[in-house]
Amino acid sequence: MSDIPAGAGTPDESADAPVWQSSPPGSIYDYIRVASFALGPDGRIDQWSERAAELLGISAPEAIGKDPVEAFVPPELRDHGQRKVAEILDGREWVGLLPFRTSAGARPHGLAEVYVMPAEAEGGGRGAVCIVVDARVLRGIETDLAASQAVFGQSPMGFLLFGTDLKILRANERFAAVFGGTAESHRGAAPHDYLTPVEADRLNGALRKVLDTGSSVTDLQLMGTVPGESERRRWSVNLYRLHSGSGRPIGVAGLATDVTRRRNAEREAASARRNLALLNAAGARMGNSLDLETTARELLDVAVPQFCDLASVDLYQGLLTGDETPPGLADGSAELRRVAFASAVADAPVTLPTRASGENCEPHAIEVGAVHRFPFNSAWADALRTAHPKVVPGRDGDEAPELGAAVVQSTLAVPMVAHDTVVGLAQFSRTKGSEPFGERDTALAVDLAARAAVCIDNARLYRREHERALILQRSLLPPGDPEAAGLDIACRYLPGNTATEVGGDWFDVIQLPGHRTALVVGDVMGRGLRAAVAMGELRTAVRTLALLDLEPAEVLSQLDEIARGLGSPAGAYGDTRTKRSTTAGSRSSDLSEVYLATCVYAVYDPVTRRCTFANAGHLPPVLVEPGESALMLEVPTGMPLGVGGEPFEEIEVELPDGALLALYTDGLVESRDHPLDEGLQAFRTALTDRPPSAETEDSSPLEDLCDRVLASLDTRHGEDDIALLMARVQGLPAESVGDWKLPTEPKSVARARELTREQLTAWGHEQLVDTAELLVSELVTNALRYGAGIPLGEPGGEIRLRLLLDTTLVCEVWDGGLVQPRRRRARDTDEGGRGLQLVGLLSAGWGSRRTPRGKTVWFELALPDGETPAADPVEALLSLY
């Protein structure tokens, strides 16, 4: 067969291949090692093959011509062997096992299976052809075939044998059970018959690589479908090359395992781990801020892109503005405001429908900060009404709303529910190409939205309470820039608690009669809302006492009694048995701590340019005279308010024009980073140092000086509230003051009217002359009649008249009487008693106060502005009758 071309294929490989061909090296014959010899008609060996010589170890010269029984069969079996040879020569076939030996006298070392076939010899005689095979090799082949058949046929996994042409040579029953047909029907099929072109090309490439290189391929993941099913399956394929006995590649074995369920389980586990990670991230990131917008952005930071591609948060506009139940909250039609948006694919808002027409809703963009409504019949409004999430599918085709380069595949509309109240709506969208939302995703979105809703609701409640606290705080502080006669005032308040912006420090500027001004700075021990409430009560008490025009020391004494009463549930003079009870005593102790306070109270008279100070445990005021260094006034420091038991002292200090007075709380100068003395020195230095651009301290505006002082000190430590009240003394000019002494006689009434007319004319306020004359005559008359107890017309005593012109006109009348005037309603038949009624009708305000040597009665008139007509004295007089 040497004339047949080498390398021709097997008959199975090509229909056009020749029937006769050479066997390639490493064939099954080499593996089995078949030997042959022939017997002549005389029963002796007449042919001996080279393979027989190799297998049996006997050369041809040694074997030819010998009796095979005598040569190879042991003596004890030779009789039986002779009979079998005779039977073979008579024409009978024989197959049997015979031990063989390699040389005479040697012990048998092998077992051969001999197949003897009768044959016609030359010359008409009968001989035999013998084929010898090593029995051990045959048994091994039989065992291997049986094991291979068992593994191949009984394997629970798909088993395939691919030929060198990458077509299936053999498939097992498991493979046939999955893809249909019988195992034999798949012979000759290729990967493209089972897989998509892309997947089939991947498998063909792996097969060719294994066949060419001999390297195995493990866990090759392939996707496909099986006949009769629409669900895609995933297989894990392992490939390895098969060799012949001589090592020649003869094909590739493939073992395929269906890992669809395992893959789904892994995906579910990965999804669960991702969801837990997202929830952990949400718990760590959300709720750190009490700001609504910040909390909404924190939710989107967690969700995008880990959970979705686009997301937005809409909150009810009414809840943002403080309304508890905005209109339309129950049916989902209330206005919402977009407070946050995030995108991993494009900077464009999530599209929303503009009209409720189902599939035909036209999208439009909603910008952050925009206020909008969801159509009543839309899925978004339905989610808000029912408090259940809704999945809104995207639109396919050319009409799909594009967001940059991506198209929304589906959207989860999740209501944000906190404490059984819907506060808004969170939207999570995924674009085309992303995995669609599943039940697990919906549950995760609901959980994320619920966590964010609780944080947002807490932030909303905090904002509401914060606004209320700010309203309280601002209502207790002087509104705007306080104004006072003869003073330029600047003030600052910095809360120590920036979260609530409320505290117990306060300052106040109170206008007193006679263009005098009370300056107050106080500090309630503690901080927060309770301290602010305590501060408000004390501030109200201070204003009430100040309007009684008491001396500063007397004001603090009365305020101390009030503070003691506020700090005790039973009042300052309550039942001592209540105070002894444990519960009430504990409660009283708590309240007493809140209502302990320090305070500085000062009254400035712009006419005399004198300021009277009283101190209740507070830091001393600081005074800076023009061209001098700042110094601390030695005001006697009394006990804090609420302690009681000690009187307060006061001092009077003359303040020159241009002097700077500073009242402050300890938060400005005290910090844990430095001792109090260093803070006070730094404060004095900041008040003394002039800015480089200023020639004199007066040239620096007081507001700028106030800011410069705060900037130079450590005011950002946040340990305590800071209140700073600064006043620059200007005083009333001498030409704005009219001051006269009148004798206690009737003609002083006319003289007072004359002086009033002349002074108002000099000031250019002729419109006030008639009213002022009438009211001055009433006050001087009362002073003569009731002031010093001297009968009208008798000499003795003295009356003082003073007119002050600033933002208003103030008239003051001093006398030596101690009895305060009291306004009463005169009857129609009474001849008197209408003077103070007339003063009340014509003046902007009136009152009286005690003095060291009597009392002062005053009234105030508003200066004409050219638009409001002055009061008519005649009509006022007639209205009394």
Side-chain angles (χ1 to χ4, degrees), residues 17-56:
V19 177
W20 299 99
Q21 57 189 0
S22 63
S23 178
S27 65
I28 187 66
Y29 304 105
D30 292 332
Y31 181 71
I32 300 177
R33 301 181 64 81
V34 179
S36 65
F37 63 92
L39 300 179
D42 57 357
R44 293 182 178 274
I45 299 173
D46 61 0
Q47 291 184 13
W48 189 260
S49 67
E50 294 181 0
R51 182 67 62 85
E54 180 182 348
L55 176 63
L56 301 176

mmCIF file of all heavy atoms in Angstrom, residues 17-56:
data_model
loop_
_atom_site.group_PDB
_atom_site.id
_atom_site.type_symbol
_atom_site.label_atom_id
_atom_site.label_comp_id
_atom_site.label_asym_id
_atom_site.label_seq_id
_atom_site.Cartn_x
_atom_site.Cartn_y
_atom_site.Cartn_z
ATOM 1 N N ALA A 17 -12.498 10.425 -0.523
ATOM 2 C CA ALA A 17 -11.206 9.841 -0.149
ATOM 3 C C ALA A 17 -11.086 8.431 -0.691
ATOM 4 O O ALA A 17 -12.087 7.712 -0.800
ATOM 5 C CB ALA A 17 -11.058 9.848 1.366
ATOM 6 N N PRO A 18 -9.857 7.958 -1.064
ATOM 7 C CA PRO A 18 -9.684 6.588 -1.573
ATOM 8 C C PRO A 18 -9.977 5.552 -0.500
ATOM 9 O O PRO A 18 -9.806 5.809 0.686
ATOM 10 C CB PRO A 18 -8.216 6.581 -1.984
ATOM 11 C CG PRO A 18 -7.579 7.636 -1.159
ATOM 12 C CD PRO A 18 -8.614 8.704 -1.011
ATOM 13 N N VAL A 19 -10.454 4.385 -0.931
ATOM 14 C CA VAL A 19 -10.765 3.322 0.022
ATOM 15 C C VAL A 19 -9.497 2.769 0.640
ATOM 16 O O VAL A 19 -9.399 2.520 1.828
ATOM 17 C CB VAL A 19 -11.563 2.204 -0.661
ATOM 18 C CG1 VAL A 19 -11.811 1.060 0.312
ATOM 19 C CG2 VAL A 19 -12.868 2.741 -1.194
ATOM 20 N N TRP A 20 -8.461 2.585 -0.179
ATOM 21 C CA TRP A 20 -7.190 2.058 0.315
ATOM 22 C C TRP A 20 -6.237 3.210 0.562
ATOM 23 O O TRP A 20 -6.056 4.065 -0.270
ATOM 24 C CB TRP A 20 -6.598 1.071 -0.701
ATOM 25 C CG TRP A 20 -7.493 -0.105 -0.955
ATOM 26 C CD1 TRP A 20 -8.344 -0.286 -1.983
ATOM 27 C CD2 TRP A 20 -7.619 -1.233 -0.115
ATOM 28 N NE1 TRP A 20 -9.026 -1.461 -1.886
ATOM 29 C CE2 TRP A 20 -8.591 -2.089 -0.707
ATOM 30 C CE3 TRP A 20 -7.021 -1.649 1.093
ATOM 31 C CZ2 TRP A 20 -8.966 -3.309 -0.154
ATOM 32 C CZ3 TRP A 20 -7.396 -2.870 1.618
ATOM 33 C CH2 TRP A 20 -8.361 -3.684 1.014
ATOM 34 N N GLN A 21 -5.638 3.181 1.714
ATOM 35 C CA GLN A 21 -4.714 4.239 2.052
ATOM 36 C C GLN A 21 -3.753 3.736 3.114
ATOM 37 O O GLN A 21 -4.000 2.728 3.758
ATOM 38 C CB GLN A 21 -5.459 5.477 2.585
ATOM 39 C CG GLN A 21 -6.347 5.167 3.798
ATOM 40 C CD GLN A 21 -7.231 6.333 4.174
ATOM 41 O OE1 GLN A 21 -7.160 7.355 3.527
ATOM 42 N NE2 GLN A 21 -8.061 6.162 5.182
ATOM 43 N N SER A 22 -2.683 4.427 3.255
ATOM 44 C CA SER A 22 -1.710 4.020 4.271
ATOM 45 C C SER A 22 -2.195 4.406 5.651
ATOM 46 O O SER A 22 -2.871 5.418 5.829
ATOM 47 C CB SER A 22 -0.362 4.683 3.991
ATOM 48 O OG SER A 22 -0.497 6.087 4.093
ATOM 49 N N SER A 23 -1.874 3.596 6.647
ATOM 50 C CA SER A 23 -2.250 3.898 8.020
ATOM 51 C C SER A 23 -1.233 4.849 8.616
ATOM 52 O O SER A 23 -0.030 4.569 8.546
ATOM 53 C CB SER A 23 -2.303 2.607 8.847
ATOM 54 O OG SER A 23 -2.625 2.898 10.183
ATOM 55 N N PRO A 24 -1.658 5.946 9.159
ATOM 56 C CA PRO A 24 -0.688 6.886 9.723
ATOM 57 C C PRO A 24 -0.004 6.294 10.939
ATOM 58 O O PRO A 24 -0.511 5.359 11.558
ATOM 59 C CB PRO A 24 -1.558 8.089 10.100
ATOM 60 C CG PRO A 24 -2.908 7.508 10.338
ATOM 61 C CD PRO A 24 -3.050 6.368 9.353
ATOM 62 N N PRO A 25 1.160 6.812 11.298
ATOM 63 C CA PRO A 25 1.859 6.296 12.483
ATOM 64 C C PRO A 25 1.015 6.474 13.726
ATOM 65 O O PRO A 25 0.219 7.416 13.849
ATOM 66 C CB PRO A 25 3.121 7.166 12.533
ATOM 67 C CG PRO A 25 3.276 7.700 11.160
ATOM 68 C CD PRO A 25 1.904 7.820 10.586
ATOM 69 N N GLY A 26 1.181 5.539 14.666
ATOM 70 C CA GLY A 26 0.443 5.617 15.905
ATOM 71 C C GLY A 26 -0.968 5.107 15.791
ATOM 72 O O GLY A 26 -1.850 5.556 16.524
ATOM 73 N N SER A 27 -1.216 4.156 14.884
ATOM 74 C CA SER A 27 -2.555 3.623 14.727
ATOM 75 C C SER A 27 -2.854 2.640 15.845
ATOM 76 O O SER A 27 -2.010 2.327 16.684
ATOM 77 C CB SER A 27 -2.712 2.946 13.364
ATOM 78 O OG SER A 27 -1.863 1.814 13.317
ATOM 79 N N ILE A 28 -4.069 2.125 15.817
ATOM 80 C CA ILE A 28 -4.481 1.174 16.835
ATOM 81 C C ILE A 28 -3.647 -0.100 16.800
ATOM 82 O O ILE A 28 -3.436 -0.756 17.809
ATOM 83 C CB ILE A 28 -5.990 0.859 16.661
ATOM 84 C CG1 ILE A 28 -6.505 0.001 17.821
ATOM 85 C CG2 ILE A 28 -6.222 0.182 15.331
ATOM 86 C CD1 ILE A 28 -6.468 0.714 19.121
ATOM 87 N N TYR A 29 -3.104 -0.413 15.609
ATOM 88 C CA TYR A 29 -2.291 -1.643 15.485
ATOM 89 C C TYR A 29 -0.987 -1.501 16.242
ATOM 90 O O TYR A 29 -0.467 -2.464 16.811
ATOM 91 C CB TYR A 29 -2.047 -1.947 14.005
ATOM 92 C CG TYR A 29 -3.336 -2.070 13.219
ATOM 93 C CD1 TYR A 29 -3.741 -1.063 12.373
ATOM 94 C CD2 TYR A 29 -4.155 -3.195 13.364
ATOM 95 C CE1 TYR A 29 -4.923 -1.146 11.669
ATOM 96 C CE2 TYR A 29 -5.348 -3.293 12.653
ATOM 97 C CZ TYR A 29 -5.736 -2.268 11.807
ATOM 98 O OH TYR A 29 -6.911 -2.361 11.125
ATOM 99 N N ASP A 30 -0.418 -0.322 16.213
ATOM 100 C CA ASP A 30 0.790 -0.123 16.998
ATOM 101 C C ASP A 30 0.508 -0.241 18.483
ATOM 102 O O ASP A 30 1.340 -0.717 19.264
ATOM 103 C CB ASP A 30 1.387 1.259 16.700
ATOM 104 C CG ASP A 30 1.926 1.341 15.284
ATOM 105 O OD1 ASP A 30 2.311 0.289 14.769
ATOM 106 O OD2 ASP A 30 1.940 2.462 14.715
ATOM 107 N N TYR A 31 -0.672 0.215 18.876
ATOM 108 C CA TYR A 31 -1.012 0.170 20.293
ATOM 109 C C TYR A 31 -1.261 -1.272 20.749
ATOM 110 O O TYR A 31 -0.819 -1.692 21.806
ATOM 111 C CB TYR A 31 -2.237 1.049 20.546
ATOM 112 C CG TYR A 31 -2.659 1.100 21.991
ATOM 113 C CD1 TYR A 31 -1.884 1.777 22.932
ATOM 114 C CD2 TYR A 31 -3.824 0.475 22.414
ATOM 115 C CE1 TYR A 31 -2.264 1.819 24.256
ATOM 116 C CE2 TYR A 31 -4.213 0.521 23.737
ATOM 117 C CZ TYR A 31 -3.433 1.193 24.656
ATOM 118 O OH TYR A 31 -3.801 1.225 25.968
ATOM 119 N N ILE A 32 -1.997 -2.046 19.875
ATOM 120 C CA ILE A 32 -2.310 -3.447 20.238
ATOM 121 C C ILE A 32 -1.102 -4.361 20.015
ATOM 122 O O ILE A 32 -0.920 -5.347 20.697
ATOM 123 C CB ILE A 32 -3.528 -3.943 19.436
ATOM 124 C CG1 ILE A 32 -4.749 -3.072 19.748
ATOM 125 C CG2 ILE A 32 -3.832 -5.394 19.734
ATOM 126 C CD1 ILE A 32 -5.970 -3.450 18.944
ATOM 127 N N ARG A 33 -0.232 -4.036 19.045
ATOM 128 C CA ARG A 33 0.952 -4.820 18.707
ATOM 129 C C ARG A 33 0.556 -6.244 18.293
ATOM 130 O O ARG A 33 0.842 -7.240 18.963
ATOM 131 C CB ARG A 33 1.944 -4.867 19.873
ATOM 132 C CG ARG A 33 2.418 -3.483 20.296
ATOM 133 C CD ARG A 33 3.408 -3.580 21.434
ATOM 134 N NE ARG A 33 4.623 -4.268 21.043
ATOM 135 C CZ ARG A 33 5.631 -3.718 20.388
ATOM 136 N NH1 ARG A 33 5.554 -2.431 20.049
ATOM 137 N NH2 ARG A 33 6.718 -4.407 20.091
ATOM 138 N N VAL A 34 -0.113 -6.370 17.149
ATOM 139 C CA VAL A 34 -0.553 -7.662 16.595
ATOM 140 C C VAL A 34 0.624 -8.342 15.881
ATOM 141 O O VAL A 34 1.322 -7.717 15.073
ATOM 142 C CB VAL A 34 -1.727 -7.461 15.617
ATOM 143 C CG1 VAL A 34 -2.155 -8.807 15.031
ATOM 144 C CG2 VAL A 34 -2.882 -6.798 16.355
ATOM 145 N N ALA A 35 0.857 -9.591 16.185
ATOM 146 C CA ALA A 35 1.896 -10.401 15.496
ATOM 147 C C ALA A 35 1.236 -11.553 14.745
ATOM 148 O O ALA A 35 0.120 -11.972 15.082
ATOM 149 C CB ALA A 35 2.891 -10.930 16.520
ATOM 150 N N SER A 36 1.911 -12.089 13.737
ATOM 151 C CA SER A 36 1.337 -13.191 12.939
ATOM 152 C C SER A 36 2.437 -14.191 12.529
ATOM 153 O O SER A 36 3.604 -13.817 12.418
ATOM 154 C CB SER A 36 0.653 -12.627 11.699
ATOM 155 O OG SER A 36 1.583 -12.011 10.842
ATOM 156 N N PHE A 37 2.021 -15.421 12.337
ATOM 157 C CA PHE A 37 2.889 -16.452 11.752
ATOM 158 C C PHE A 37 1.983 -17.462 11.070
ATOM 159 O O PHE A 37 0.772 -17.460 11.279
ATOM 160 C CB PHE A 37 3.799 -17.083 12.806
ATOM 161 C CG PHE A 37 3.065 -17.827 13.896
ATOM 162 C CD1 PHE A 37 2.798 -19.206 13.776
ATOM 163 C CD2 PHE A 37 2.652 -17.168 15.054
ATOM 164 C CE1 PHE A 37 2.119 -19.860 14.785
ATOM 165 C CE2 PHE A 37 1.995 -17.833 16.047
ATOM 166 C CZ PHE A 37 1.715 -19.193 15.915
ATOM 167 N N ALA A 38 2.559 -18.344 10.277
ATOM 168 C CA ALA A 38 1.787 -19.326 9.494
ATOM 169 C C ALA A 38 2.347 -20.721 9.717
ATOM 170 O O ALA A 38 3.551 -20.906 9.940
ATOM 171 C CB ALA A 38 1.827 -18.964 8.016
ATOM 172 N N LEU A 39 1.406 -21.738 9.650
ATOM 173 C CA LEU A 39 1.760 -23.152 9.763
ATOM 174 C C LEU A 39 1.582 -23.822 8.417
ATOM 175 O O LEU A 39 0.593 -23.555 7.706
ATOM 176 C CB LEU A 39 0.886 -23.839 10.809
ATOM 177 C CG LEU A 39 0.955 -23.290 12.243
ATOM 178 C CD1 LEU A 39 0.001 -24.074 13.140
ATOM 179 C CD2 LEU A 39 2.367 -23.350 12.793
ATOM 180 N N GLY A 40 2.547 -24.640 8.119
ATOM 181 C CA GLY A 40 2.456 -25.389 6.866
ATOM 182 C C GLY A 40 1.607 -26.646 7.022
ATOM 183 O O GLY A 40 1.121 -26.959 8.110
ATOM 184 N N PRO A 41 1.388 -27.411 5.927
ATOM 185 C CA PRO A 41 0.579 -28.636 5.998
ATOM 186 C C PRO A 41 1.143 -29.650 6.973
ATOM 187 O O PRO A 41 0.394 -30.476 7.512
ATOM 188 C CB PRO A 41 0.613 -29.147 4.567
ATOM 189 C CG PRO A 41 0.861 -27.924 3.744
ATOM 190 C CD PRO A 41 1.788 -27.098 4.535
ATOM 191 N N ASP A 42 2.462 -29.555 7.255
ATOM 192 C CA ASP A 42 3.053 -30.501 8.187
ATOM 193 C C ASP A 42 2.941 -30.050 9.631
ATOM 194 O O ASP A 42 3.479 -30.671 10.534
ATOM 195 C CB ASP A 42 4.524 -30.723 7.832
ATOM 196 C CG ASP A 42 5.295 -29.421 7.825
ATOM 197 O OD1 ASP A 42 4.654 -28.324 8.056
ATOM 198 O OD2 ASP A 42 6.522 -29.400 7.623
ATOM 199 N N GLY A 43 2.264 -28.978 9.860
ATOM 200 C CA GLY A 43 2.076 -28.488 11.223
ATOM 201 C C GLY A 43 3.254 -27.729 11.765
ATOM 202 O O GLY A 43 3.267 -27.375 12.948
ATOM 203 N N ARG A 44 4.236 -27.438 10.928
ATOM 204 C CA ARG A 44 5.377 -26.671 11.396
ATOM 205 C C ARG A 44 5.307 -25.243 10.861
ATOM 206 O O ARG A 44 4.605 -24.964 9.894
ATOM 207 C CB ARG A 44 6.678 -27.345 10.938
ATOM 208 C CG ARG A 44 6.872 -28.697 11.619
ATOM 209 C CD ARG A 44 8.186 -29.304 11.189
ATOM 210 N NE ARG A 44 8.386 -30.561 11.882
ATOM 211 C CZ ARG A 44 8.920 -30.738 13.064
ATOM 212 N NH1 ARG A 44 9.336 -29.646 13.723
ATOM 213 N NH2 ARG A 44 9.047 -31.920 13.625
ATOM 214 N N ILE A 45 6.081 -24.389 11.547
ATOM 215 C CA ILE A 45 6.069 -22.961 11.193
ATOM 216 C C ILE A 45 6.820 -22.783 9.896
ATOM 217 O O ILE A 45 7.981 -23.173 9.781
ATOM 218 C CB ILE A 45 6.724 -22.124 12.298
ATOM 219 C CG1 ILE A 45 5.952 -22.267 13.627
ATOM 220 C CG2 ILE A 45 6.768 -20.650 11.889
ATOM 221 C CD1 ILE A 45 6.623 -21.608 14.806
ATOM 222 N N ASP A 46 6.104 -22.160 8.935
ATOM 223 C CA ASP A 46 6.787 -21.891 7.682
ATOM 224 C C ASP A 46 6.881 -20.390 7.391
ATOM 225 O O ASP A 46 7.554 -19.991 6.441
ATOM 226 C CB ASP A 46 6.108 -22.630 6.532
ATOM 227 C CG ASP A 46 4.671 -22.182 6.348
ATOM 228 O OD1 ASP A 46 4.206 -21.277 7.137
ATOM 229 O OD2 ASP A 46 3.967 -22.673 5.464
ATOM 230 N N GLN A 47 6.187 -19.524 8.198
ATOM 231 C CA GLN A 47 6.324 -18.044 8.076
ATOM 232 C C GLN A 47 6.362 -17.459 9.489
ATOM 233 O O GLN A 47 5.610 -17.872 10.374
ATOM 234 C CB GLN A 47 5.151 -17.448 7.296
ATOM 235 C CG GLN A 47 5.139 -17.827 5.825
ATOM 236 C CD GLN A 47 3.995 -17.135 5.077
ATOM 237 O OE1 GLN A 47 3.384 -16.218 5.601
ATOM 238 N NE2 GLN A 47 3.737 -17.602 3.864
ATOM 239 N N TRP A 48 7.228 -16.462 9.667
ATOM 240 C CA TRP A 48 7.391 -15.828 11.007
ATOM 241 C C TRP A 48 7.583 -14.327 10.787
ATOM 242 O O TRP A 48 8.538 -13.897 10.172
ATOM 243 C CB TRP A 48 8.596 -16.437 11.709
ATOM 244 C CG TRP A 48 8.725 -16.017 13.155
ATOM 245 C CD1 TRP A 48 9.528 -15.087 13.645
ATOM 246 C CD2 TRP A 48 8.037 -16.563 14.254
ATOM 247 N NE1 TRP A 48 9.394 -14.973 15.010
ATOM 248 C CE2 TRP A 48 8.438 -15.918 15.425
ATOM 249 C CE3 TRP A 48 7.040 -17.587 14.375
ATOM 250 C CZ2 TRP A 48 7.956 -16.211 16.688
ATOM 251 C CZ3 TRP A 48 6.565 -17.857 15.654
ATOM 252 C CH2 TRP A 48 7.003 -17.164 16.811
ATOM 253 N N SER A 49 6.603 -13.523 11.259
ATOM 254 C CA SER A 49 6.667 -12.068 11.016
ATOM 255 C C SER A 49 7.659 -11.402 11.959
ATOM 256 O O SER A 49 8.006 -11.951 13.007
ATOM 257 C CB SER A 49 5.295 -11.434 11.186
ATOM 258 O OG SER A 49 4.878 -11.510 12.549
ATOM 259 N N GLU A 50 8.081 -10.227 11.560
ATOM 260 C CA GLU A 50 9.002 -9.462 12.414
ATOM 261 C C GLU A 50 8.321 -9.035 13.711
ATOM 262 O O GLU A 50 8.964 -8.951 14.770
ATOM 263 C CB GLU A 50 9.513 -8.233 11.661
ATOM 264 C CG GLU A 50 10.389 -8.576 10.478
ATOM 265 C CD GLU A 50 10.890 -7.325 9.773
ATOM 266 O OE1 GLU A 50 10.512 -6.203 10.251
ATOM 267 O OE2 GLU A 50 11.635 -7.443 8.786
ATOM 268 N N ARG A 51 7.037 -8.764 13.627
ATOM 269 C CA ARG A 51 6.332 -8.372 14.852
ATOM 270 C C ARG A 51 6.269 -9.533 15.831
ATOM 271 O O ARG A 51 6.364 -9.336 17.038
ATOM 272 C CB ARG A 51 4.924 -7.893 14.485
ATOM 273 C CG ARG A 51 4.089 -7.412 15.673
ATOM 274 C CD ARG A 51 4.680 -6.124 16.286
ATOM 275 N NE ARG A 51 4.697 -5.027 15.380
ATOM 276 C CZ ARG A 51 3.665 -4.209 15.180
ATOM 277 N NH1 ARG A 51 2.545 -4.413 15.815
ATOM 278 N NH2 ARG A 51 3.780 -3.197 14.332
ATOM 279 N N ALA A 52 6.144 -10.808 15.257
ATOM 280 C CA ALA A 52 6.159 -11.984 16.129
ATOM 281 C C ALA A 52 7.511 -12.144 16.798
ATOM 282 O O ALA A 52 7.608 -12.501 17.984
ATOM 283 C CB ALA A 52 5.801 -13.232 15.326
ATOM 284 N N ALA A 53 8.568 -11.871 16.023
ATOM 285 C CA ALA A 53 9.897 -11.971 16.611
ATOM 286 C C ALA A 53 10.062 -10.930 17.725
ATOM 287 O O ALA A 53 10.669 -11.195 18.770
ATOM 288 C CB ALA A 53 10.959 -11.771 15.519
ATOM 289 N N GLU A 54 9.495 -9.710 17.509
ATOM 290 C CA GLU A 54 9.620 -8.643 18.515
ATOM 291 C C GLU A 54 8.797 -8.960 19.739
ATOM 292 O O GLU A 54 9.232 -8.737 20.879
ATOM 293 C CB GLU A 54 9.196 -7.320 17.900
ATOM 294 C CG GLU A 54 9.296 -6.150 18.852
ATOM 295 C CD GLU A 54 8.820 -4.846 18.209
ATOM 296 O OE1 GLU A 54 8.628 -4.780 16.992
ATOM 297 O OE2 GLU A 54 8.629 -3.862 18.981
ATOM 298 N N LEU A 55 7.552 -9.500 19.524
ATOM 299 C CA LEU A 55 6.664 -9.750 20.640
ATOM 300 C C LEU A 55 7.122 -10.952 21.454
ATOM 301 O O LEU A 55 7.162 -10.911 22.688
ATOM 302 C CB LEU A 55 5.243 -9.952 20.139
ATOM 303 C CG LEU A 55 4.192 -10.328 21.189
ATOM 304 C CD1 LEU A 55 4.027 -9.203 22.207
ATOM 305 C CD2 LEU A 55 2.851 -10.651 20.503
ATOM 306 N N LEU A 56 7.480 -12.043 20.747
ATOM 307 C CA LEU A 56 7.802 -13.302 21.436
ATOM 308 C C LEU A 56 9.277 -13.445 21.756
ATOM 309 O O LEU A 56 9.686 -14.359 22.469
ATOM 310 C CB LEU A 56 7.334 -14.490 20.610
ATOM 311 C CG LEU A 56 5.808 -14.490 20.321
ATOM 312 C CD1 LEU A 56 5.458 -15.662 19.409
ATOM 313 C CD2 LEU A 56 5.014 -14.554 21.596
#
